[in-house]
């Protein structure tokens, strides 16, 4: 309870120090589950980032991810996963995040950050200090707990209403079923995956349902058996000037299939390890697709992956890679050589071993 009260106090401080009118760092929304903020760079570019606060906080730090593919932001967020335990608290994390991004963009660190530094040095984040404060203010704590129980449910309710305006009814119903299933699994002690992976995947799915690319039909997502840990992704369209686009049109006319089907699976240590992605159908030549259906992309390996990458960014990068690699659909391909999960895993393991020894090749600019 003292930990919850401290988190609520930290959130109030961050909101007061960094309102939406701040010229460098802004807290857009904040609950005891999630912090959404915006960093404004040297040239006015805006980076929206999220901190997902899990049930294991503060033993583990918040899970950060960004709505951008910027490599600098990704590197800063990656460093936040490697902090010492005493820096797991939200105020420490925000201080490190803003300071590092300011250094990256060569802009002054906001003076409020210095105030956060002083507060974190003097504040009751140490367990002994927290217990002392709690014992001295039992009545206040009880009052705060009651206040939390009365008001905090409004936050997710408002968030759900905001989501409802941006997400189709069918998708909202799926999100609700997933939440209910997670709750039931927890009560029965049959939880699959991990808290951090499940929280992040729910966030990723919600973000996709609200994205313009998804709504425009660039791609579609289906959960296999309504599992957050296995997705089927249909690439519906690619660059209209590419041969692959023409092949997809031809495939629809000849075979009635209007998409390239990918399968994406996640482990319980996601987002700190990449998903495994493979092409299921149709058979492709080129496009950096290996014989078993795995995809030759550094960002899909542990070496090239960052926990800051969003799943939509990965999907769009795969689309771009297929086009860049001049992928073509193999019409009339023999069934003997069709893609399978076992072949994809084997070819991907071989790929990783080769690149661990020899590094990754960057094609010349003239090749895309």
């Amino acid at each position: 309870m003292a930990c919850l009260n401290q988190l609520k106090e930290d959130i109030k401080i961050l909101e007061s120090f960094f309102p939406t009118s701040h010229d460098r760092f802004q807290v857009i929304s904040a609950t005891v589950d999630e912090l959404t903020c915006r960093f404004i760079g040297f040239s006015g570019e805006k980076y929206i980032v999220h901190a997902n606060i899990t049930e294991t906080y503060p033993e583990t730090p918040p899970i950060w991810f960004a709505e951008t593919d910027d490599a600098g932001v990704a590197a800063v967020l990656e460093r936040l996963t490697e902090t010492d335990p005493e820096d797991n608290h939200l105020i420490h994390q925000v201080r490190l995040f803003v300071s590092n991004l300011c250094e990256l963009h060569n802009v002054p660190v906001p003076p409020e950050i210095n105030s956060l530094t002083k507060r974190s040095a003097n504040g009751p984040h140490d367990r002994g200090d927290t217990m002392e404060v709690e014992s001295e203010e039992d009545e206040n704590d009880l009052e705060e707990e009651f206040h939390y129980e009365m008001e905090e449910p409004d936050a997710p309710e408002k968030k759900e209403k905001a989501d409802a305006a941006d997400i189709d009814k069918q998708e909202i119903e799926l999100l609700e079923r997933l939440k209910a299933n997670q709750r039931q699994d927890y009560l029965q002690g049959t939880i699959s995956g991990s808290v951090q992976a499940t929280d992040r995947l729910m966030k990723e799915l919600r973000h996709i349902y609200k994205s313009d690319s998804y709504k425009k039909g660039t791609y579609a997502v289906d959960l296999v058996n309504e599992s957050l840990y296995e997705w089927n992704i249909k690439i519906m369209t690619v660059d209209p000037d590419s041969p692959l686009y023409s092949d997809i049109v031809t495939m629809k006319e000849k075979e009635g299939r209007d998409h390239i089907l990918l399968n994406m699976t996640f482990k319980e240590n996601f987002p700190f390890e990449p998903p495994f992605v493979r092409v299921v159908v149709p058979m492709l030549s080129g496009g950096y697709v290996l014989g078993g259906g795995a995809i030759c992309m550094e960002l899909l390996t542990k070496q090239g992956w960052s926990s800051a990458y969003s799943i939509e960014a990965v999907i769009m990068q795969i689309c771009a890679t297929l086009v860049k690699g001049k992928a073509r659909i193999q019409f009339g391909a023999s069934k003997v050589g069709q893609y399978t999960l076992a072949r994809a895993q084997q070819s991907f393991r071989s790929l990783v071993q080769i690149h661990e020894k020899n590094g990754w090749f960057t094609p010349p600019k003239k090749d895309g």
Side-chain angles (χ1 to χ4, degrees):
M1 199 259 286
C3 174
L4 176 61
N5 288 336
Q6 184 61 60
L7 174 59
K8 291 166 63 181
E9 181 64 24
D10 289 350
I11 289 173
K12 289 178 183 178
I13 292 169
L14 291 173
E15 287 179 320
S16 65
F17 279 14
F18 302 106
T20 54
S21 58
H22 197 279
D23 59 358
R24 185 63 63 203
F25 183 72
Q26 304 166 353
V27 174
I28 301 173
S29 64
T31 69
V32 294
D33 298 312
E34 182 181 348
L35 176 75
T36 300
C37 45
R38 180 190 293 117
F39 180 86
I40 303 174
F42 178 78
S43 302
E45 59 271 39
K46 298 177 180 178
Y47 305 99
I48 295 179
V49 295
H50 305 269
N52 199 322
I53 303 167
T54 67
E55 294 177 3
T56 56
Y57 175 89
E59 283 76 18
T60 59
I63 299 173
W64 292 84
F65 57 102
E67 296 182 9
T68 176
D69 296 331
D70 183 86
V73 175
V76 169
L77 295 184
E78 185 74 20
R79 287 201 289 271
L80 292 179
T81 67
E82 302 168 353
T83 54
D84 295 328
E86 59 267 23
D87 286 332
N88 287 349
H89 287 270
L90 190 60
I91 277 189
H92 293 274
Q93 294 267 304
V94 168
R95 173 175 55 82
L96 293 170
F97 171 72
V98 176
S99 299
N100 288 331
L101 267 189
C102 286
E103 180 181 356
L104 180 68
H105 284 259
N106 196 27
V107 296
V109 176
E112 293 88 349
I113 291 297
N114 293 329
S115 299
L116 285 183
T117 303
K118 293 176 183 178
R119 175 173 179 81
S120 62
N122 299 326
H125 280 150
D126 177 78
R127 181 61 184 165
D129 291 341
T130 303
M131 292 299 290
E132 183 179 347
V133 171
E134 184 177 15
S135 64
E136 291 175 355
E137 301 179 1
D138 283 342
E139 292 185 4
N140 291 338
D141 281 349
L142 290 172
E143 183 178 350
E144 280 195 34
E145 182 181 21
F146 180 75
H147 180 70
Y148 168 77
E149 292 297 334
M150 290 297 291
E151 292 193 2
E152 196 60 29
D154 288 346
E157 186 176 327
K158 290 177 181 177
K159 192 175 192 322
E160 288 173 5
K161 288 181 179 179
D163 283 348
D166 297 327
I167 303 177
D168 288 345
K169 180 181 178 181
Q170 184 177 355
E171 291 153 356
I172 291 176
E173 290 174 350
L174 174 58
L175 291 171
E176 289 301 320
R177 284 200 305 275
L178 291 171
K179 287 167 60 177
N181 291 340
Q182 291 165 28
R183 190 178 303 113
Q184 188 66 26
D185 289 346
Y186 178 80
L187 292 174
Q188 295 178 349
T190 58
I191 301 175
S192 60
S194 66
V195 172
Q196 71 177 15
T198 299
D199 284 350
R200 175 65 178 268
L201 288 168
M202 281 290 287
K203 179 67 180 179
E204 292 285 351
L205 187 61
R206 187 179 295 109
H207 171 71
I208 281 174
Y209 285 158
K210 297 169 68 175
S211 76
D212 290 337
S213 296
Y214 177 82
K215 291 180 179 180
K216 290 177 182 177
T218 303
Y219 65 92
V221 173
D222 294 313
L223 303 188
V224 179
N225 297 322
E226 293 197 355
S227 168
L228 278 171
Y229 289 82
E230 184 175 3
W231 299 16
N232 278 340
I233 297 162
K234 298 176 181 178
I235 296 178
M236 311 299 295
T237 186
V238 294
D239 183 351
D241 296 327
S242 67
L244 183 58
Y245 178 87
S246 301
D247 284 355
I248 293 175
V249 173
T250 302
M251 180 174 62
K252 182 177 181 181
E253 294 172 352
K254 288 185 174 182
E255 304 176 8
R257 181 183 294 115
D258 59 356
H259 61 272
I260 296 171
L261 180 63
L262 307 178
N263 180 259
M264 185 177 290
T265 55
F266 304 86
K267 295 182 179 180
E268 63 181 13
N269 52 1
F270 179 82
F272 302 110
E273 278 196 18
F276 178 71
V277 186
R278 66 186 181 100
V279 178
V280 180
V281 288
M283 295 282 288
L284 300 175
S285 62
Y288 303 102
V289 178
L290 305 177
I295 302 173
C296 180
M297 289 176 62
E298 185 179 13
L299 73 80
L300 294 177
T301 68
K302 292 181 181 180
Q303 176 185 347
W305 176 256
S306 167
S307 61
Y309 292 154
S310 71
I311 297 304
E312 180 175 62
V314 172
I315 294 171
M316 301 309 293
Q317 186 60 45
I318 291 173
C319 292
T321 297
L322 293 175
V323 170
K324 174 177 152 183
K326 300 178 175 58
R328 300 299 302 267
I329 294 175
Q330 297 185 43
F331 294 104
S334 170
K335 292 185 178 181
V336 175
Q338 286 187 343
Y339 301 141
T340 65
L341 174 59
R343 290 184 64 214
Q345 290 173 333
Q346 182 179 19
S347 60
F348 190 74
R349 282 194 297 268
S350 299
L351 166 79
V352 170
Q353 290 173 356
I354 291 171
H355 285 295
E356 282 179 348
K357 292 181 179 178
N358 303 316
W360 286 83
F361 169 69
T362 301
K365 289 184 178 180
K366 66 180 182 180
D367 294 339

